[in-house]
């Protein structure tokens, strides 16, 4: 389908015909992952979410980050749902869904926020869906599903875990572990946000994110998220886990010494 949203919400369709020349009856049967009433709920909920997380003073990058964070922090990857796990309705109403639901929610939130966005299909070990979004005039890939990693039960409470490994990537970066269907998607060539891809489970204080750098054996780093050119900077040569902030101090468990 040429329409991204229909491509995501269409469950199945069929065409049958009966009759003869010049007197033909054609029947179309179309099924969607959610109902008309649920679509109305989606439209209302999308506007409510954006009103609560976005403000006119935010930059485009800040808005995309807020949308990514909302989806990751309010969703759990699961196909055990009472309504379709592929549906944007399910992930909004139940907080659960699969990549299709994540990507469709991102698509609707981004479009409602005024961004040009695409719903992208491809393969990442299994059939997969994510997004393209145009930020400051350049297209980038955004995979909210893979920014919300799945942990084993023994890992404990990871509800607040957000990473940016799949935040605003170029075609060459996403293709390291994703393949993109040949659906005429726009090219994404900018690598402006490469520094973000080492950020996981950050603590944000004003314009600075403090985090365990996955590219340097989870040592403590920081990055100013409002810089025009992003750069990570080491804060201390110490490994950190469960980073938190209180009363002007950062606290963490020393990963090396329990």
């Amino acid at each position: 389908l040429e329409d991204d949203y229909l491509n995501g919400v269409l469950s199945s369709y069929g065409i049958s015909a009966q009759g003869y020349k010049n007197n033909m009856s054609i029947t179309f049967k179309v099924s969607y992952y959610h109902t008309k009433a649920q679509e109305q709920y989606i439209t209302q909920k999308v506007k409510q979410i954006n009103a609560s997380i976005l403000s006119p003073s935010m930059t485009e990058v800040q808005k995309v980050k807020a949308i990514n964070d909302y989806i990751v922090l309010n969703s759990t990857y699961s196909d055990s749902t009472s309504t379709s796990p592929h549906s944007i309705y399910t992930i909004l109403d139940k907080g659960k869904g699969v990549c299709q639901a994540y990507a469709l929610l991102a698509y609707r939130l981004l479009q409602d926020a005024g961004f040009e966005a695409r719903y992208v299909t491809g393969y990442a070990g299994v059939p997969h869906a994510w997004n393209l979004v145009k930020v400051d005039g350049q297209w980038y890939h955004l995979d909210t599903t893979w920014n919300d990693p799945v942990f084993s039960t023994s890992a404990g409470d990871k509800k607040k875990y957000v990473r940016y490994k799949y935040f605003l990537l170029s075609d060459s970066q996403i293709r390291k572990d994703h393949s993109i269907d040949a659906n005429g998607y726009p090219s994404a060539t900018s690598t402006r946000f490469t520094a973000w891809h080492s950020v996981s489970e950050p603590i944000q204080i004003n314009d600075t994110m403090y985090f365990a750098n996955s590219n340097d054996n989870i040592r403590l780093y920081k990055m100013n998220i409002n810089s025009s050119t992003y750069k990570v900077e080491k804060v201390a040569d110490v490994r950190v886990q469960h980073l938190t902030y209180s009363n002007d101090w950062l606290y963490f468990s020393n990963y090396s010494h329990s």
Side-chain angles (χ1 to χ4, degrees):
L1 293 175
E2 292 184 2
D3 186 279
D4 281 354
Y5 191 62
L6 282 179
N7 189 33
V9 302
L10 184 65
S11 174
S12 64
Y13 67 93
I15 303 173
S16 61
Q18 289 182 326
Y20 49 89
K21 186 177 181 179
N22 298 326
N23 189 6
M24 183 73 67
S25 175
I26 302 175
T27 302
F28 295 86
K29 291 185 177 180
V30 182
S31 297
Y32 300 93
Y33 286 116
H34 56 255
T35 66
K36 181 179 179 180
Q38 290 170 344
E39 175 66 24
Q40 292 171 341
Y41 168 86
I42 290 166
T43 298
Q44 180 183 24
K45 190 71 174 177
V46 162
K47 292 187 179 300
Q48 288 176 350
I49 292 168
N50 274 345
S52 69
I53 65 174
L54 305 181
S55 67
S57 63
M58 296 171 75
T59 66
E60 290 191 359
V61 177
Q62 289 173 329
K63 289 179 180 179
V64 176
K65 178 183 180 295
I67 289 170
N68 173 84
D69 292 358
Y70 179 87
I71 295 171
V72 170
L73 293 173
N74 291 277
S75 308
T76 299
Y77 187 92
S78 175
D79 58 5
S80 299
T81 55
S82 56
T83 51
S84 172
H86 304 280
S87 172
I88 185 175
Y89 170 79
T90 302
I91 204 165
L92 283 172
D93 187 57
K94 309 297 183 185
K96 295 181 180 181
V98 295
C99 62
Q100 191 169 350
Y102 276 72
L104 286 168
L105 176 54
Y107 178 81
R108 290 294 302 272
L109 289 169
L110 289 166
Q111 282 209 324
D112 182 74
F115 289 93
E116 289 186 62
R118 298 291 306 272
Y119 170 78
V120 181
T121 58
Y123 196 83
V126 295
H128 190 49
W130 64 97
N131 299 95
L132 276 160
V133 57
K134 198 172 190 179
V135 177
D136 296 335
Q138 296 284 335
W139 284 97
Y140 299 91
H141 293 270
L142 173 67
D143 191 339
T144 53
T145 308
W146 282 29
N147 281 335
D148 184 19
V150 176
F151 295 95
S152 65
T153 304
S154 61
D157 185 5
K158 292 288 185 178
K159 290 180 181 178
K160 295 184 179 180
Y161 193 101
V162 182
R163 65 177 178 178
Y164 297 90
K165 186 175 181 179
Y166 298 92
F167 181 79
L168 304 182
L169 287 78
S170 67
D171 288 338
S172 60
Q173 289 170 329
I174 197 78
R175 284 190 173 119
K176 291 179 181 179
D177 44 28
H178 292 51
S179 61
I180 307 167
D181 288 342
N183 286 346
Y185 298 117
S187 297
T189 58
S190 173
T191 57
R192 176 186 171 195
F193 296 94
T194 299
W196 285 69
H197 304 158
S198 63
V199 177
S200 61
E201 205 171 3
I203 294 295
Q204 184 170 332
I205 305 171
N206 298 321
D207 294 335
T208 302
M209 286 199 300
Y210 295 86
F211 62 96
N213 191 331
S214 58
N215 292 333
D216 188 19
N217 203 18
I218 66 169
R219 288 180 170 84
L220 182 61
Y221 275 70
K222 68 178 181 180
M223 182 179 72
N224 187 314
I225 66 170
N226 288 333
S227 171
S228 57
T229 56
Y230 301 101
K231 183 176 69 173
V232 296
E233 179 183 349
K234 184 181 287 187
V235 177
D237 192 29
V238 60
R239 301 175 75 202
V240 301
Q241 192 176 33
H242 308 303
L243 189 64
T244 190
Y245 172 74
S246 179
N247 296 325
D248 296 326
W249 285 88
L250 290 169
Y251 297 89
F252 55 88
S253 170
N254 186 305
Y255 189 89
S256 298
H257 302 289
S258 302

